[in-house]
């Protein structure tokens, strides 16, 4: 039932779980509603919600909506399904709408809808009566009346590279960008609204590792200068720094024991794991080390069974899964394996397509793989094919292909949707600054606009930002 939760079924699953006392399933179904509220509000089942259940949802701090106007519109949809019976409950439901978070332009729609409601013959209804007090005509009684809905994850982009055929002319980035809402234009036009968060300390970097753990952003390793000629080596980092969004400060932490680039950092059981990667321009490694934030120390754990870089990694059901990547001969692999820090590697079913420099994200118990490069005789070419792995059946299924190449792209899951961000095209080495989003329910990729700043070998993760960043 967990795997089948979608916008049309989530409310039924929640009702079933509540009736039979299945608390974990109920929490997951309710969480899906909160993360996909606007989509759920447009389903037929939403019209049958009891008023008290609807009020619970819209009063929740973790409700994810593009604006507070979306909450108001959802309530109006529910009322209009049976206006004679439900207009009497409008005043109570409107207490869940946080009118102070609206702009004055958005509030005009509230007034217009109120006039329309009066046409139903109920002169007593005033949808925004209590809102006038909150909206500035008197001071709110409590801070809760004006609380921004939290937690709401922000998509954070760190570092990256701007491509140039002359490697010495590349311009890596120190910048951090974030987005946590969609800006909808006319018709079906949508794009992500990016805002600058700040800069990383020290020098810029790309092909680094980035992860969020316990409310902090960790950035580790990577490189800041790139020349193909052996007299100009790849300059690598072993440094680790953390960013605290509450204090808006960076802290330098212990260095890794080995320099790494073209690798990933993953969070597992409240520790960071830095896996494999390149140690110079033509050598990758099999070592794995873990960072303990309590002691600010790195230590080596069980190595991989072969040198690996340019892979993708994700955690699902408590296991660390690693797909593809370059082996010691820099051939793209089809492998998929489960890595354990104590026992090492357990190989699983191979992917259908070989790939490296790709993305993999966990969503609802499955692993989605997209983009990268693949082998082409003595060279590489773009890999636009996508596939999904089911850990239960140990099998792969093809997905819709990416519309454009995304090599060295970042990726993340935001509000139950998969985002592939930036990268480049292997064929002509041009930048691919686009963002594509995969919607599991429609099984389609859609264009979500362009990145800001550097676009190649950038890293992404989710982090909760304080209110002042988001307003």
């Amino acid at each position: 039932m967990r795997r089948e939760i979608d916008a049309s079924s989530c409310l039924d699953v929640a009702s079933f779980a509540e009736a039979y006392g299945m608390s974990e399933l109920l929490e997951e179904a309710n969480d899906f509603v909160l993360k996909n509220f606007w989509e759920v509000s447009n389903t037929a089942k939403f019209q049958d919600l009891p008023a008290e259940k609807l009020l619970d949802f819209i009063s929740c701090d973790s409700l994810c909506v593009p604006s507070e106007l979306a909450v108001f519109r959802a309530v109006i949809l529910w009322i209009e399904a049976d206006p004679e019976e439900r207009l009497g409950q409008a005043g109570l439901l409107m207490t869940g709408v946080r009118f102070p978070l609206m702009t004055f332009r958005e509030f005009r729609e509230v007034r217009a809808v109120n006039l329309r409601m009066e046409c139903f013959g109920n002169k007593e209804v005033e949808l925004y009566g209590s809102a006038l007090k909150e909206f500035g005509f008197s001071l709110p009684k409590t801070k809760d009346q004006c609380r921004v809905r939290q937690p709401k994850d922000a998509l954070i982009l760190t570092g990256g590279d701007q491509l140039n055929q002359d490697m010495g002319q590349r311009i890596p980035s120190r910048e951090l960008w974030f987005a946590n809402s969609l800006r909808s234009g006319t018709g079906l036009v949508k794009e992500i609204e990016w805002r600058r968060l700040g800069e990383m300390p020290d020098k810029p970097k790309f092909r680094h590792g980035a992860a969020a753990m316990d409310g902090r952003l960790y950035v580790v390793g990577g490189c800041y200068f790139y020349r193909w000629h052996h007299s100009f080596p790849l300059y690598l980092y072993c440094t680790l720094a953390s960013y605290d969004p509450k204090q808006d400060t960076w802290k330098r932490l212990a260095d890794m024991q080995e320099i790494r680039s073209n690798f990933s950092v993953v969070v597992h059981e409240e520790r960071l794991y830095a896996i494999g990667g390149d140690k110079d321009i033509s050598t990758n490694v099999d070592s794995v080390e873990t960072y303990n934030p309590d002691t600010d120390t790195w230590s080596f754990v069980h190595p991989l069974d072969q040198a690996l870089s340019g892979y993708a990694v994700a955690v699902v059901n408590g296991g660390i899964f690693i797909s593809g990547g370059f082996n010691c001969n820099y051939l793209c692999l089809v492998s998929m394996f489960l890595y354990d820090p104590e026992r090492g590697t357990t190989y699983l079913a191979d992917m259908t397509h070989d790939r490296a420099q790709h993305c993999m994200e966990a969503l609802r118990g499955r692993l989605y793989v997209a983009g990268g490069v693949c082998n082409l005789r003595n060279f590489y070419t773009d890999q636009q094919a996508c596939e999904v792995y089911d850990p239960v059946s140990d099998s792969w299924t093809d997905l819709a292909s990416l519309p454009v190449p995304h090599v060295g792209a970042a990726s993340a899951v935001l509000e139950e949707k998969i985002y592939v961000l930036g990268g480049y095209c292997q064929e002509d080495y041009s930048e691919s600054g686009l963002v594509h989003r995969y919607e599991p329910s429609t099984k389609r990729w859609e264009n979500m606009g362009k990145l800001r700043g550097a676009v190649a070998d950038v890293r992404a993760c989710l982090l909760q930002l304080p209110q002042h960043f988001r307003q």
Side-chain angles (χ1 to χ4, degrees):
M1 292 185 75
R2 283 192 176 99
R3 290 171 56 181
E4 296 304 318
I5 293 176
D6 58 25
S8 60
S9 67
C10 58
L11 293 173
D12 283 325
V13 173
S15 297
F16 176 87
E18 187 172 17
Y20 288 92
M22 304 171 71
S23 58
E24 290 185 4
L25 181 61
L26 176 61
E27 182 179 357
E28 190 161 341
N30 285 338
D31 190 52
F32 183 91
V33 175
L34 294 172
K35 289 182 177 180
N36 301 270
F37 181 75
W38 181 241
E39 185 180 0
V40 174
S41 71
N42 285 279
T43 64
K45 185 65 180 178
F46 180 82
Q47 310 300 329
D48 299 329
L49 268 179
E52 59 272 16
K53 179 64 69 173
L54 175 56
L55 183 59
D56 286 343
F57 283 131
I58 65 175
S59 299
C60 186
D61 284 346
S62 57
L63 187 72
C64 294
V65 286
S67 72
E68 205 63 22
L69 185 60
V71 183
F72 175 77
R73 288 172 174 170
V75 174
I76 295 303
L77 284 173
W78 183 87
I79 293 172
E80 289 180 336
D82 188 0
E84 292 185 3
E85 292 292 327
R86 296 179 175 180
L87 272 174
Q89 298 168 302
L92 176 63
L93 289 172
M94 287 301 156
T95 62
V97 181
R98 302 181 183 183
F99 291 97
L101 303 181
M102 291 185 182
T103 66
F104 282 100
R105 180 175 296 179
E106 290 172 332
F107 196 69
R108 289 176 190 169
E109 180 175 323
V110 176
R111 297 183 62 186
V113 170
N114 189 86
L115 292 174
R116 191 173 79 242
M117 287 296 180
E118 290 179 352
C119 295
F120 285 115
N122 190 340
K123 299 295 183 181
E124 301 298 322
V125 65
E126 188 174 49
L127 302 178
Y128 59 91
S130 61
L132 290 176
K133 297 178 182 179
E134 301 175 23
F135 208 63
F137 288 88
S138 67
L139 293 174
K141 295 179 181 179
T142 68
K143 293 182 179 179
D144 287 346
Q145 289 179 287
C146 295
R147 284 180 64 176
V148 174
R149 298 187 185 274
Q150 294 192 58
K152 185 176 181 184
D153 289 327
L155 179 57
I156 310 294
L157 295 179
T158 66
D161 197 13
Q162 295 180 353
L163 298 183
N164 192 306
Q165 290 185 348
D166 180 355
M167 297 296 178
Q169 298 299 315
R170 283 186 162 194
I171 306 174
S173 173
R174 293 176 57 193
E175 293 181 324
L176 275 69
W177 294 82
F178 78 97
N180 57 9
S181 64
L182 288 176
R183 183 173 64 244
S184 299
T186 305
L188 298 178
V189 177
K190 298 177 182 176
E191 68 176 295
I192 294 181
E193 182 178 2
W194 294 101
R195 284 182 280 176
R196 195 171 182 274
L197 182 59
E199 290 187 345
M200 295 181 289
D202 301 323
K203 295 181 179 179
K205 60 177 63 185
F206 60 99
R207 292 194 174 186
H208 51 292
M213 181 172 63
D214 294 332
R216 294 173 179 263
L217 170 67
Y218 290 83
V219 180
V220 57
C223 48
Y224 65 92
F225 189 71
Y226 206 176
R227 282 286 186 98
W228 287 112
H229 195 274
H230 290 295
S231 62
F232 295 95
L234 183 69
Y235 287 82
L236 301 176
Y237 285 112
C238 61
T239 58
L240 171 65
S242 70
Y243 173 69
D244 182 350
K246 293 182 179 179
Q247 303 297 325
D248 193 20
T249 57
W250 286 89
K251 182 180 181 181
R252 178 71 182 271
L253 302 171
D255 291 349
M256 288 188 294
Q257 300 186 58
E258 193 158 21
I259 57 175
R260 303 173 192 272
S261 76
N262 203 15
F263 75 112
S264 293
V265 172
V266 67
V267 177
H268 178 62
E269 295 181 350
E270 298 184 355
R271 291 195 176 190
L272 297 178
Y273 286 84
I275 302 170
D278 294 321
K279 71 174 184 180
D280 59 40
I281 202 165
S282 59
T283 307
N284 49 19
V285 297
D286 63 359
S287 66
V288 180
E289 51 187 307
T290 181
Y291 176 75
N292 184 341
D294 295 330
T295 59
D296 187 27
T297 56
W298 289 92
S299 58
F300 285 108
V301 290
H302 202 295
L304 304 174
D305 68 345
Q306 63 174 319
L308 195 65
S309 61
Y311 58 85
V313 61
V315 173
V316 64
N317 300 328
I320 301 173
F321 290 79
I322 299 176
S323 65
F326 297 116
N327 65 8
C328 59
N329 296 316
Y330 284 84
L331 295 175
C332 301
L333 303 175
V334 295
S335 60
M336 176 69 155
F337 60 87
L338 181 63
Y339 171 76
D340 185 276
E342 296 181 357
R343 295 185 295 272
T345 302
T346 301
Y347 279 90
L348 306 169
D350 287 344
M351 294 184 289
T352 306
H353 310 280
D354 58 293
R355 65 180 80 232
Q357 303 285 77
H358 57 291
C359 303
M360 182 167 69
E361 292 294 337
L363 178 60
R364 293 165 62 187
R366 298 184 181 186
L367 293 165
Y368 290 77
V369 173
V373 295
C374 57
N375 300 313
L376 179 66
R377 296 183 293 276
N378 295 326
F379 304 97
Y380 305 118
T381 190
D382 295 303
Q383 176 62 277
Q384 293 177 233
C386 303
E387 45 194 316
V388 59
Y389 176 74
D390 185 345
V392 176
S393 61
D394 187 25
S395 61
W396 292 88
T397 304
D398 286 341
L399 300 176
S401 296
L402 283 167
V404 300
H406 284 274
V407 181
S411 63
V413 173
L414 181 64
E415 297 176 9
E416 299 291 312
K417 298 173 181 62
I418 299 168
Y419 288 79
V420 175
L421 307 110
Y424 60 92
C425 172
Q426 180 69 29
E427 289 297 305
D428 60 8
Y429 221 54
S430 61
E431 292 183 340
S432 175
L434 297 176
V435 178
H436 281 96
R437 182 176 75 178
Y438 183 76
E439 170 60 76
S441 61
T442 62
K443 299 180 179 180
R444 294 179 180 177
W445 292 97
E446 59 178 328
N447 187 339
M448 302 300 296
K450 294 184 178 182
L451 289 184
R452 298 287 299 275
V455 300
D457 293 316
V458 67
R459 296 294 184 256
C461 62
L462 299 183
L463 187 69
Q464 292 178 13
L465 295 181
Q467 174 180 330
H468 67 273
F469 282 111
R470 305 206 319 253
Q471 289 184 320

